[in-house]
Every structure is written in C-alpha cells, then in structure tokens.
Amino acid sequence: MKRVAKLFNQVIDRENLRLAVSRALRGKRHRPDAREFVCDLDRNIQRMQQQLLADSFPLGRFHQFEICEPKRRIITAPCFPERVVHHALVNVCEPVFERWLIDDTFACRPGKGRVTALRRALSFARRHAFFLKLDIRKYFDSVPHDRLLARLQRLFKDQRLLQLFARIIGSFRGEAGRGLPIGSLTSQHFANFYLGWFDRQAKDHWRIPGYVRYMDDMLLCSDSKQQLMTCLQDGRDFLREQLRLELKPTPYVNRTAHGVDFLGCRVSPKGLTLNRRSRVRFRRRLVELEEQFRAGHLDELTLQQRATALVAFTKSAGAASWQFRDRVVQQLLVSGQEARTG
C-alpha cells in the first residue's frame, strides 16, 4: 500500500476538532474536565490547535483504575483534552488503517465486532478439521515502541503526524520503551495495526485457509494438522523476531469437532455455546445484581436494564445456551421469593 501524506493539517482542522469533541463527550458529559472544556469550547479548540501546531500539547495526563471483568486489568484513561486529540487522530487515520488491515481482522473496525468475529470463526470450524488457537502474552504491555513506530512509518509519511504518534506512544512508559495504555482510543488502533503484520504473514506466506483475529486472540483453521503445527513454530519465531512479542504458553492444535474457546464462546461445527468462564461470570453477575436490588442499591428499572444487557451478551452471535440462561434466572426467582417471604 502506498504511504499516505498530508494528514496532519486534516487532524488539526477546526471542524475535525469539533467533531472529535462531540465524540469524546459520549458517556463523559458528567466529568468535570469535559464540562470545563465545553464551557469555553471555541477558545479551547483554538488553544489546542495552536499547541498541536507548536508541538507543545501536553500528553500523558491520565488516571488509572482496575477492573476485574472479564479479567483483571489496569485501565489508563486520558484526560478529556487528550481524548479529543485521540479522536481527532482516529477521525482522519482510521480509514487508512481500515484499508491496510485484512478482512479477517476484527475489533475497533466498523461492522467487525465480537459477534461478526464469532460468526466467521463458526464458518471456518464447519469447513475445516483442525484449529490452532494463539494468544499473545500480556499484549498491550509488550508492544515495543520503536517497532510500532517503524511500522507506522511504512503506512504514513507525514512527518508531523508521525511525530505526534511518537509523542502519544512515548507518553506512556516512555522510559521502558514498551506498552500501550488500555483505555486509550489510539492504543486500540495501534495494537490492531501492529498485529496486522502477523495477519499478512499467516494469509500471504503460510496460506492459512481459515484465519480470524480479534485483537490478540487468533484462531487458525485448516484441514492439515501438520500445516498448523508448522505455523505454530513459525508463528512463535515471527512474533519473537519481527514483533518482539511472546505467545502465551498454552497454544494448542486440536480437532474443530472437539470445540475451541474463542471470545467467550465454545465454537464447534455444531454451533456456538457459552464457554465455562462466561457461564460462571454470567451467574455471578446476575447474583450480584439481585443482591444489590434486595439491599436497595438498585431500583427495579436499573436491575432490569442491567440484567437484560447480561442476557443479551449470552445470546450474541446466536449462542445456543438458552437452557443454561433459563435455569439461572429461575433459580434467582426462587431465591428472591424465599428472601421476600422468609
């Protein structure tokens, strides 16, 4: 793909910055820094534009918090003005990333979310006899800044844009030279782009007939077990030598008929069901919601909305786990009646 130039001026264009503000406000209007920015919108946009032109916009202002679902992670949330800059960049650069990524790469792409990835994985499981499941060890923490920037230079040739990329990437653990903050919009796109080089290796060089990647979760399908075994070794070498990444110590090759855990589901030629971890999490979250409702911390409407969202997750991509869902809900109904009549 030909390198793209003259994008920096589009990023700092006043109308693009206004659009970035509106997108950064989604779900954040209550935050004090968001309200403060919007109260003097025109002046703040002008100041931001001048600082970006002078390469003096302050970066690296964020707060961190921990989440435990679906697994324990440290989320690094940038301050509101920095969120605006990230959105301004993505507004302009996302189409470039989109054209470069292959069709079977999912996450952070229009029309290519978790449900679409699961359906694609199911179609490959029904067509091929064997699978290889790969995960990157601590992916976001492991992305090397120098290798990422070198690959961004193969896609973009606007030096001012590349300089802004470098400042954003270096503002997080710059002294360590590794890592992208989970919770940053640009991090998601950089991380998806970086493993795009592995995608092309799998499809163009190894000729894998069935390939799905959702961020750092990769599923390779083939009718040849030997081809997948070779890909496992070659893939480990490619990741270590070219991208300086390591696989988790649990990659394995097996028959698709036995099923494979992928994105919270069990994928097999017979269809999709919730995997064990998702079942445990679904049951625990529903119990927690019921307990919060009984304690008076949630009203009935909020309980219904949150429970509906949980049930919708278990139904996504047509996962056939309705008996399990019904059993859990019925158990909660019975326990709730006992609590109210006891």
Side-chain angles (χ1 to χ4, degrees):
M1 179 176 171
K2 186 178 179 180
R3 290 202 301 162
V4 183
K6 300 180 180 178
L7 294 182
F8 182 77
N9 287 337
Q10 295 181 38
V11 171
I12 66 171
D13 177 77
R14 184 177 293 270
E15 290 307 311
N16 183 53
L17 292 175
R18 282 185 173 276
L19 176 61
V21 170
S22 68
R23 291 180 172 175
L25 279 171
R26 293 173 184 168
K28 307 294 180 183
R29 293 181 180 273
H30 65 284
R31 284 178 37 170
D33 56 349
R35 292 201 300 267
E36 180 182 353
F37 192 93
V38 174
C39 281
D40 197 1
L41 182 61
D42 289 337
R43 182 176 298 179
N44 285 324
I45 286 179
Q46 183 179 10
R47 182 187 300 115
M48 178 178 289
Q49 189 180 50
Q50 292 171 347
Q51 289 175 330
L52 289 170
L53 273 169
D55 198 25
S56 61
F57 181 82
L59 294 167
R61 296 171 294 168
F62 51 77
H63 72 279
Q64 292 183 319
F65 56 93
E66 185 178 70
I67 62 171
C68 298
E69 294 288 352
K71 60 183 179 181
R72 191 176 297 275
R73 288 193 180 103
I74 300 296
I75 303 299
T76 302
C79 67
F80 184 78
E82 193 164 337
R83 282 175 56 87
V84 173
V85 172
H86 290 188
H87 276 279
L89 275 169
V90 170
N91 291 345
V92 173
C93 299
E94 184 178 39
V96 182
F97 289 128
E98 182 66 22
R99 288 195 299 271
W100 186 82
L101 292 168
I102 68 171
D103 287 343
D104 288 322
T105 298
F106 299 83
C108 308
R109 303 180 68 186
K112 290 183 175 290
R114 171 179 172 270
V115 170
T116 312
L118 282 169
R119 289 173 178 160
R120 188 65 166 159
L122 178 60
S123 70
F124 287 139
R126 286 173 169 167
R127 278 187 269 168
H128 301 289
F130 297 94
F131 71 83
L132 167 62
K133 177 69 168 58
L134 301 175
D135 294 291
I136 306 297
R137 182 177 179 274
K138 295 183 178 179
Y139 178 48
F140 274 78
D141 289 337
S142 302
V143 174
H145 295 175
D146 56 347
R147 297 289 177 99
L148 171 59
L149 287 168
R151 279 163 173 75
L152 286 168
Q153 289 172 8
R154 299 187 191 183
L155 201 60
F156 301 93
K157 65 178 180 180
D158 187 323
Q159 290 303 310
R160 301 204 68 179
L161 180 68
L162 289 168
Q163 188 173 353
L164 182 55
F165 284 161
R167 290 189 63 220
I168 289 173
I169 293 168
S171 67
F172 181 74
R173 295 184 185 172
E175 71 285 351
R178 278 182 178 268
L180 295 172
I182 299 175
S184 166
L185 180 64
T186 51
S187 293
Q188 298 173 37
H189 287 273
F190 289 154
N192 218 18
F193 162 75
Y194 192 60
L195 273 179
W197 300 91
F198 185 89
D199 300 341
R200 292 175 175 270
Q201 185 74 11
K203 297 294 290 186
D204 298 342
H205 296 275
W206 303 333
R207 302 291 181 181
I208 294 297
Y211 179 83
V212 183
R213 178 173 69 82
Y214 188 92
M215 198 53 75
D216 61 319
D217 290 332
M218 293 166 281
L219 184 65
L220 291 72
C221 296
S222 174
D223 289 317
S224 169
K225 182 177 180 180
Q226 184 55 49
Q227 181 186 25
L228 295 178
M229 295 297 292
T230 301
C231 286
L232 174 56
Q233 184 56 52
D234 291 348
R236 184 180 283 114
D237 293 341
F238 179 86
L239 288 165
R240 183 183 300 117
E241 296 168 7
Q242 298 297 319
L243 302 180
R244 284 168 52 193
L245 299 172
E246 297 289 338
L247 287 175
K248 287 183 179 178
T250 55
Y252 63 102
V253 175
N254 207 338
R255 290 187 175 273
T256 54
H258 295 163
V260 53
D261 284 353
F262 189 62
L263 304 182
C265 285
R266 189 76 176 171
V267 183
S268 75
K270 295 180 180 179
L272 300 173
T273 58
L274 290 180
N275 64 13
R276 182 181 179 279
R277 179 178 293 181
S278 292
R279 288 170 183 259
V280 170
R281 188 164 66 246
F282 174 73
R283 185 190 298 274
R284 184 173 65 244
R285 287 292 296 127
L286 275 183
V287 170
E288 289 173 356
L289 287 176
E290 180 73 7
E291 291 174 349
Q292 291 175 20
F293 174 68
R294 291 182 202 162
H297 301 313
L298 293 179
D299 58 34
E300 190 168 351
L301 177 60
T302 304
L303 171 67
Q304 184 178 9
Q305 290 172 339
R306 294 186 182 180
T308 299
L310 282 173
V311 171
F313 175 84
T314 68
K315 291 180 177 179
S316 58
S321 299
W322 65 270
Q323 290 181 327
F324 164 75
R325 290 191 300 267
D326 186 64
R327 186 167 61 251
V328 173
V329 172
Q330 290 301 321
Q331 288 172 354
L332 285 175
L333 287 173
V334 170
S335 65
Q337 291 173 353
E338 290 175 352
R340 283 188 286 271
T341 58

